[in-house]
Amino acid sequence: MLVALCGDKGAPGVTTAALALASAWPGPTVVVEASPSGGDLAIRLHPNGSVLPETPTVLSVVTASRSRSVDDPVATHAHALNSTTAVVPGAVLVEQIANIGDWSPLTEALGRTQATVFADLGHLHAASPVLSMAARAEVVVVVSRPDLPSVVRMRERLTRLAIDLARLRSTSPRLFPLLISLRRHAAGDVADLRAVLADTAVKPFLADVGFLAHDPAAVRRLEAGDEPTGRLSRTDLMRSAAAVANQLERVTASPTEAAAAPALRGRP
């Protein structure tokens, strides 16, 4: 199964959300840093006090996928973060990631791996080379802040994504807005976002709405490879991640509609 995560201008925490949700998910998971702008997992992560090796990266997965040298290049080229979650870091420099060109081999590889994949697609838009990867996902999680400008940008981005993804799918896209919010404000922030989206054309495509707690200390522990079932599970970050994982499980377990709404397909 593939869960895509993305953000918009100024959106925080897409990579952190991918790590937290993958670590809260039941069963084996892989976080794949597939942003065309490059990534920073190789720099940020230090499981068991060690830095990640420079290779393999997402470039290794693409190369192996093109040559079909291994059956599951995602699993083969992943680094262990904790006992249930592995990571495939992106290239640090955008110049390196630009050499991929055709992302379809990676998309196919994500579909073949046995683990649930959380793919960090960065800033997703109509011209993004990884839009087809998002179209293949069971659900697309769109990360944002709860402040008004960010919520307005999210509303517009969700509408555009619904249109763009519907053109690439035979079934309706499922979008999941996710706010990075202080836990004490989260319920109100989620309610406000639901109200903003209630009367929009994108509402039929909303799988649900959720939040991840802003918890920098827990993020540092997660990046250091702490076990998500240990004391880390009692932090605001992982409690909120577990709740969102449950929401996503329910969403992906339900069938999608056969086709996107014609009215949304036809919007400019």
Side-chain angles (χ1 to χ4, degrees):
M1 185 175 78
L2 173 60
V3 177
L5 296 96
C6 65
D8 201 354
K9 177 183 176 182
V14 177
T15 305
T16 296
L19 291 172
L21 294 178
S23 294
W25 195 263
T29 58
V30 182
V31 175
V32 178
E33 201 167 32
S35 170
S37 300
D40 60 2
L41 277 180
I43 301 170
R44 289 172 53 178
L45 301 185
H46 44 99
N48 302 315
S50 301
V51 297
L52 291 184
E54 291 188 5
T55 59
T57 67
V58 70
L59 299 174
S60 310
V61 178
V62 172
T63 300
S65 301
R66 287 172 176 163
S67 65
R68 293 195 173 269
S69 56
V70 293
D71 292 334
D72 189 346
V74 176
T76 303
H77 294 90
H79 306 268
L81 175 63
N82 53 55
S83 61
T84 62
T85 304
V87 297
V88 178
V92 174
L93 298 177
V94 68
E95 289 86 351
Q96 295 170 292
I97 210 77
N99 292 329
I100 290 180
D102 179 12
W103 288 77
S104 59
L106 178 59
T107 302
E108 294 170 6
L110 297 184
R112 295 200 308 271
T113 192
Q114 296 300 306
T116 299
V117 175
F118 290 80
D120 174 3
L121 306 186
H123 294 168
L124 192 62
H125 51 84
S128 172
V130 294
L131 185 67
S132 60
M133 193 180 299
R136 189 213 171 277
E138 278 78 2
V139 60
V140 178
V141 178
V142 185
V143 181
S144 181
R145 291 186 175 96
D147 59 88
L148 182 58
S150 297
V151 167
V152 171
R153 281 197 297 269
M154 174 182 265
R155 181 192 65 194
E156 298 306 307
R157 178 56 56 204
L158 288 167
T159 301
R160 292 303 316 179
L161 282 177
I163 296 169
D164 296 332
L165 295 175
R167 290 171 178 157
L168 299 175
R169 292 173 56 96
S170 59
T171 58
S172 298
R174 293 187 286 202
L175 304 175
F176 190 107
L178 182 68
L179 296 175
I180 307 298
S181 178
L182 293 173
R183 190 173 187 88
R184 64 180 178 273
H185 299 312
D189 291 337
V190 168
D192 290 344
L193 179 58
R194 289 186 188 275
V196 167
L197 299 175
D199 296 325
T200 65
V202 78
K203 186 176 185 299
F205 305 92
L206 294 180
D208 206 342
V209 179
F211 80 94
L212 275 186
H214 179 67
D215 188 352
V219 172
R220 289 192 293 271
R221 290 170 58 186
L222 181 64
E223 293 174 345
D226 280 18
E227 287 297 323
T229 55
R231 288 184 295 175
L232 186 60
S233 66
R234 298 193 290 272
T235 63
D236 285 349
L237 173 68
M238 294 310 298
R239 284 177 174 172
S240 60
V244 174
N246 287 334
Q247 289 175 279
L248 293 175
E249 276 194 288
R250 291 195 298 269
V251 166
T252 55
S254 62
T256 56
E257 296 178 6
L264 186 55
R265 281 182 180 272
R267 286 188 55 171

